[in-house]
Amino acid sequence: MAVRIADIKFHKVKKPLNQPFVTVLQKVEEREATVVVVQDAEGQEGYGECVAFSTPWYTAETVVGSRFVMDTVLTPLLKGQLLDHPTDAARLFSKVKGNQMAKAAMEMAVWDLFAKQKGMPLYEYVGGVQSPVPAGVVVAGSSDQLVRNVKAAIESGYRRIKLKISPATDAAMLKKIVAAHAEISFYADANGSFSGLALEELLPFDEAGFALIEQPYGEQEWAAHRIARANMKTPICLDESIHSLEDVQRMANQQAGDIVVLKMGRLGGWAETLKIVEFCKQSQIEMWVGGMIEFGISKAHNLALASLPEIKLTGDFSDSGHFWQSDIISPEIHVEHGEINLSEYPGIGYKLKI
Ligand code: OSB
Ligand code: MG
């Protein structure tokens, strides 16, 4: 079954967060994103969401820069093409350097369109299994808010909570929080904030009872991650370091981590992500799906990814209402009893509401 990409449209989205999201990297109070709509000759639509931020604090891409690349570089490569398979999109984009988030947004829209043409939910189309996806939330902010926010998250039904850490964090205090909630899986995310520091700075967090520690060191600090992995009992998980299958292979070869965070925006889309899933399966590397303060289109793609049987760890899947007063999809994404049910409608299974 071939699909003609007859038209491509973009929509700007900009919404305030319910609460500022404060980490060592950035204080995020408002989120901008670009929604990509690809249309086939019959006017059927596939949706993607570009997850670049307004400024380059997390990755090098930005909302304005990625829009330029999508408009002037990627659209001419994709528009009018007759595709036999959704992986054709990534192939058409392969001569363009970098710009993974721009590529991912357009490529993901193509996958949604193919699943819709087949009349299948996207999760089934990519080989996922039907079961609710467990929800996970991130709790950021200062220590006085932390205890309160963790309590609120547990009351909302979350069974996996990610805490942001930095060298300034009181590890003993986190140890108490973790110990007080034996039924909850706690992850720690350092966002590279231990960059350049000695292993001793990280070791107190090894005693806190975390299920994993995410990205203690910088993107390119492979040796420091290797040393942490060799000397700590808590599994080391890489997020920012992973831009491609090659990076996952490097992590495995250098024994620089045990677990990878899959973010399709950071990886350039479904095709590269599915290659990584296959490699990790063969290499017995665990995976989970990460979020980036996303709207519902991106989250719906992420939910389909998390439904793959190879993905065993709980990802960043919060309720639409966690970050947003109102999401850009209908229905919104809801966490019930710590889980999210996958949509059974074709494609991502949600309507665009902007
Ligand atoms: O490091 O996982 C991260 C948000 C923006 C950029 C990077 C990260 C994050 C988060 C939020 O931790 C996770 C979420 O959206 O639920
Ligand atoms: Mg992270």
Side-chain angles (χ1 to χ4, degrees):
M1 181 197 61
V3 173
R4 171 89 58 196
I5 307 298
D7 203 6
I8 303 170
K9 291 183 189 137
F10 300 98
H11 299 281
K12 261 198 225 179
V13 182
K14 182 171 165 177
K15 284 180 188 272
L17 273 66
N18 288 335
Q19 244 123 54
F21 186 80
V22 185
T23 66
V24 279
L25 298 179
Q26 183 79 359
K27 179 177 184 181
V28 182
E29 296 181 276
E30 179 183 76
R31 181 68 158 115
E32 292 182 281
T34 308
V35 171
V36 179
V37 181
V38 295
Q39 262 181 15
D40 66 13
E42 287 76 46
Q44 171 115 273
E45 294 182 336
Y47 302 129
E49 175 182 325
C50 184
V51 296
F53 287 94
S54 307
T55 61
W57 63 268
Y58 181 64
T59 66
E61 292 179 83
T62 60
V63 170
V64 171
S66 59
R67 178 65 187 270
F68 167 78
V69 172
M70 291 191 286
D71 269 334
T72 65
V73 183
L74 303 178
T75 294
L77 293 173
L78 186 62
K79 196 171 166 176
Q81 295 286 341
L82 186 66
L83 309 182
D84 292 319
H85 192 269
T87 50
D88 290 347
R91 212 173 26 74
L92 289 168
F93 296 160
S94 64
K95 60 181 174 187
V96 179
K97 311 274 187 237
N99 292 286
Q100 280 90 345
M101 290 175 168
K103 289 174 179 171
M106 298 188 57
E107 192 251 22
M108 289 160 81
V110 169
W111 281 78
D112 181 30
L113 186 58
F114 266 81
K116 282 170 176 163
Q117 281 235 346
K118 279 235 162 169
M120 285 167 90
L122 180 63
Y123 83 83
E124 235 174 64
Y125 184 77
V126 296
V129 287
Q130 203 237 345
S131 68
V133 168
V137 73
V138 54
V139 169
S142 60
S143 57
D144 52 318
Q145 298 163 334
L146 206 63
V147 175
R148 206 162 10 111
N149 290 346
V150 165
K151 209 166 156 256
I154 295 170
E155 278 164 11
S156 305
Y158 293 102
R159 291 291 170 268
R160 191 232 69 170
I161 298 174
K162 186 166 97 174
L163 303 178
K164 293 288 186 176
I165 63 165
S166 79
T169 307
D170 179 353
M173 196 256 308
L174 296 191
K175 183 176 179 171
K176 279 190 202 148
I177 295 179
V178 172
H181 304 286
E183 76 287 9
I184 304 296
S185 172
F186 284 95
Y187 297 0
D189 186 2
N191 286 115
S193 57
F194 290 80
S195 173
L197 298 178
L199 176 67
E200 284 65 40
E201 304 279 335
L202 192 60
L203 288 179
F205 296 90
D206 201 21
E207 305 305 323
F210 289 112
L212 58 87
I213 296 179
E214 185 185 341
Q215 199 73 38
Y217 302 105
E219 272 184 40
Q220 298 303 328
E221 289 176 323
W222 299 94
H225 283 124
R226 175 192 172 94
I227 291 168
R229 183 180 177 273
N231 290 285
M232 292 170 73
K233 52 182 181 280
T234 313
I236 300 295
C237 169
L238 296 185
D239 177 10
E240 285 92 327
S241 293
I242 307 296
H243 303 89
S244 61
L245 172 60
E246 224 183 334
D247 287 335
V248 181
Q249 289 166 337
R250 179 178 311 170
M251 181 188 96
N253 291 338
Q254 300 194 12
Q255 300 179 355
D258 306 284
I259 301 169
V260 296
V261 185
L262 302 173
K263 288 184 177 172
M264 287 194 278
R266 179 164 45 50
L267 298 169
W270 274 106
E272 187 74 8
T273 304
L274 293 175
K275 282 189 219 161
I276 291 173
V277 169
E278 188 54 34
F279 175 79
C280 287
K281 181 185 166 185
Q282 303 298 335
S283 312
Q284 284 159 16
I285 294 169
E286 291 205 83
M287 300 165 266
W288 53 278
V289 179
M292 285 177 264
I293 319 176
E294 285 150 65
F295 295 108
I297 297 291
S298 184
K299 207 174 266 178
H301 280 275
N302 286 343
L303 284 167
L305 175 62
S307 82
L308 294 177
E310 294 86 356
I311 295 178
K312 307 245 165 56
L313 295 170
T314 303
D316 289 330
F317 289 110
S318 54
D319 192 278
S320 285
H322 178 71
F323 288 123
W324 318 118
Q325 193 66 46
S326 69
D327 206 331
I328 62 169
I329 52 164
S330 172
E332 299 205 345
I333 289 169
H334 290 303
V335 173
E336 279 161 27
H337 309 295
E339 295 177 328
I340 298 169
N341 283 308
L342 298 169
S343 173
E344 292 301 326
Y345 289 106
I348 60 168
Y350 296 87
K351 290 204 178 85
L352 186 59
K353 184 191 72 182
I354 44 177

